[in-house]
């Protein structure tokens, strides 16, 4: 690894495979974080992968529902999804686009497919907010694919930088509270890439095409397609594709280390705040 000797290598502490579930009005998806195997990975509360060619798996969409106390991050790979909220915001997520939505004190929105056939594929990640920002005004950071820069650190390595930094390429997302890294990494067959994770962040790699190896030597572990590796042990990350091209997301964030009390679409710090969220929602204060 071409990193300074004082950087310890990161390794896979545990592997997680998502579980098939459905959400919204019956959209089929795979829950990787937020299920019984991995309830959360501070500051990440949920990771869903959705990917299907069958319209009946996604057509029902996610009709109106509230959120409070955290951020939802939608990264579309294929397909088109329209979002609308009760504060007049509306937009169309196209393939390769990212929506980083800070729900803050609350909004009610819908996320509905804008297609009746074809492939729908992508990820939704939930990122917690610190107590001091849970009741902030809602806001969106939304970027079309051409506004997400690509780093090319070597031959056969291409990295879309959604959040964080790769060399001198900086992602467009700003979130000082958790200082997130969100990369879409494409490796040609046999190609490798080394990266230094921010010190103290929690991090994971999720392979979504092909297979890759995380770490080197004795600590190396393979991730098959649709497997997540929770990282730890150090910040020097080394990834290598197998005999086929591989693609993975790498996500990292600064842990908040605060109490998490969650109920459906509300994530707060205490039961009382969750009850207040229900009252505020029922009385139309979102
Ligand atoms: Fe939502």
């Amino acid at each position: 690894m071409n990193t300074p000797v004082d950087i310890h290598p990161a390794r896979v502490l545990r592997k997680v495979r998502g579980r098939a579930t459905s959400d919204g009005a019956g959209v089929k998806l795979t829950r990787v974080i937020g299920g019984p195997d991995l309830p959360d990975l501070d500051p990440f509360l949920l990771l869903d992968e959705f990917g299907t060619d069958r319209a009946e798996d996604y057509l029902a969409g996610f009709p109106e529902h509230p959120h409070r106390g955290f951020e939802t991050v939608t990264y579309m790979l294929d397909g088109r999804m329209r979002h609308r909220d009760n504060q007049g915001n509306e937009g169309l997520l196209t393939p390769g686009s990212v929506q980083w939505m800070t729900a803050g004190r609350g909004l009610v929105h819908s996320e509905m497919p804008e297609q009746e056939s074809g492939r729908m594929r992508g990820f939704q990640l939930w990122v917690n907010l610190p107590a001091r920002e849970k009741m902030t005004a809602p806001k969106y950071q939304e970027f079309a694919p051409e506004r997400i820069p690509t780093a090319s650190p070597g031959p056969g390595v291409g990295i879309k930088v959604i959040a964080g930094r790769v060399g001198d390429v900086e992602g467009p997302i700003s979130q000082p509270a958790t200082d997130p890294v969100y990369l879409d990494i494409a490796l040609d067959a046999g190609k490798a890439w080394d990266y230094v994770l921010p010190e103290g962040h929690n991090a994971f790699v999720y392979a979504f095409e092909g297979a890759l190896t995380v770490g080197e030597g004795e600590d190396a572990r393979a991730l098959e397609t649709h497997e997540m590796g929770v990282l730890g042990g150090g910040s020097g990350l080394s990834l290598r594709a197998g005999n086929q091209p591989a693609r993975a997301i790498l996500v990292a964030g600064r842990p908040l280390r605060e109490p998490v009390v969650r109920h459906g679409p509300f994530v707060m710090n205490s039961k009382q705040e969750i009850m207040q969220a229900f009252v505020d929602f029922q009385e139309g204060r979102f």
Side-chain angles (χ1 to χ4, degrees):
M1 165 174 297
N2 299 318
T3 47
V5 286
D6 58 337
I7 292 177
H8 293 287
R11 62 179 196 276
V12 172
L13 297 183
R14 60 178 293 201
K15 288 208 267 189
V16 181
R17 242 183 194 286
R19 291 194 186 204
T21 184
S22 71
D23 209 336
V27 177
K28 290 199 174 144
L29 45 81
T30 301
R31 184 146 296 159
V32 191
I33 300 176
D37 299 322
L38 186 62
D40 65 29
L41 181 68
D42 188 11
F44 306 113
L45 301 159
L46 176 141
L47 177 71
D48 285 341
E49 180 185 31
F50 49 95
T52 178
D53 296 319
R54 291 156 41 101
E56 61 266 36
D57 290 346
Y58 61 74
L59 273 183
F62 302 87
E64 285 201 338
H65 58 279
H67 292 288
R68 172 180 278 185
F70 61 101
E71 305 185 293
T72 67
V73 180
T74 306
Y75 179 33
M76 290 299 289
L77 295 169
D78 295 296
R80 294 150 63 86
M81 190 89 88
R82 181 166 296 275
H83 71 91
R84 278 193 188 92
D85 75 15
N86 64 335
Q87 326 215 341
N89 301 296
E90 179 173 348
L92 182 65
L93 295 175
T94 58
S97 64
V98 172
Q99 181 197 67
W100 198 291
M101 183 185 86
T102 305
R105 66 179 174 243
L107 50 73
V108 180
H109 77 160
S110 62
E111 300 152 286
M112 299 299 290
E114 189 145 301
Q115 63 189 37
E116 289 173 359
S117 63
R119 176 171 291 186
M120 181 72 78
R121 187 168 72 128
F123 294 99
Q124 187 166 92
L125 176 74
W126 290 9
V127 188
N128 207 358
L129 286 168
R132 66 177 186 277
E133 290 180 24
K134 281 189 178 291
M135 296 298 277
T136 191
K139 78 166 187 181
Y140 291 84
Q141 300 181 73
E142 199 164 305
F143 297 97
E146 60 272 16
R147 293 186 58 201
I148 298 168
T150 299
S152 307
V157 181
I159 297 162
K160 293 182 188 177
V161 185
I162 295 165
R165 177 182 280 276
V166 174
D168 54 10
V169 178
E170 194 167 0
I173 298 297
S174 166
Q175 176 44 281
T178 46
D179 188 26
V181 173
Y182 195 138
L183 308 177
D184 174 351
I185 301 160
L187 299 174
D188 285 353
K191 294 295 180 187
W193 178 61
D194 292 343
Y195 183 67
V196 180
L197 295 162
E199 193 73 39
H201 276 37
N202 283 331
F204 65 85
V205 174
Y206 185 82
F208 65 94
E209 289 176 14
L212 46 87
T213 301
V214 180
E216 288 183 337
E218 284 180 3
D219 284 335
R221 285 185 81 180
L223 294 181
E224 301 300 324
T225 316
H226 309 301
E227 277 187 338
M228 165 186 283
V230 177
L231 303 176
S235 49
L237 178 64
S238 182
L239 302 176
R240 180 179 297 277
N243 298 329
Q244 302 289 325
R247 206 163 155 200
I249 52 170
L250 166 64
V251 178
R254 183 190 299 125
L256 297 171
R257 305 188 200 286
E258 291 180 353
V260 174
V261 181
R262 63 198 286 175
H263 193 99
F266 308 134
V267 183
M268 303 300 290
N269 300 105
S270 70
K271 263 188 183 161
Q272 194 190 341
E273 289 167 343
I274 291 290
M275 284 159 66
Q276 188 63 49
F278 275 99
V279 171
D280 288 348
F281 175 55
Q282 276 157 11
E283 294 182 356
R285 283 197 289 266
F286 270 40

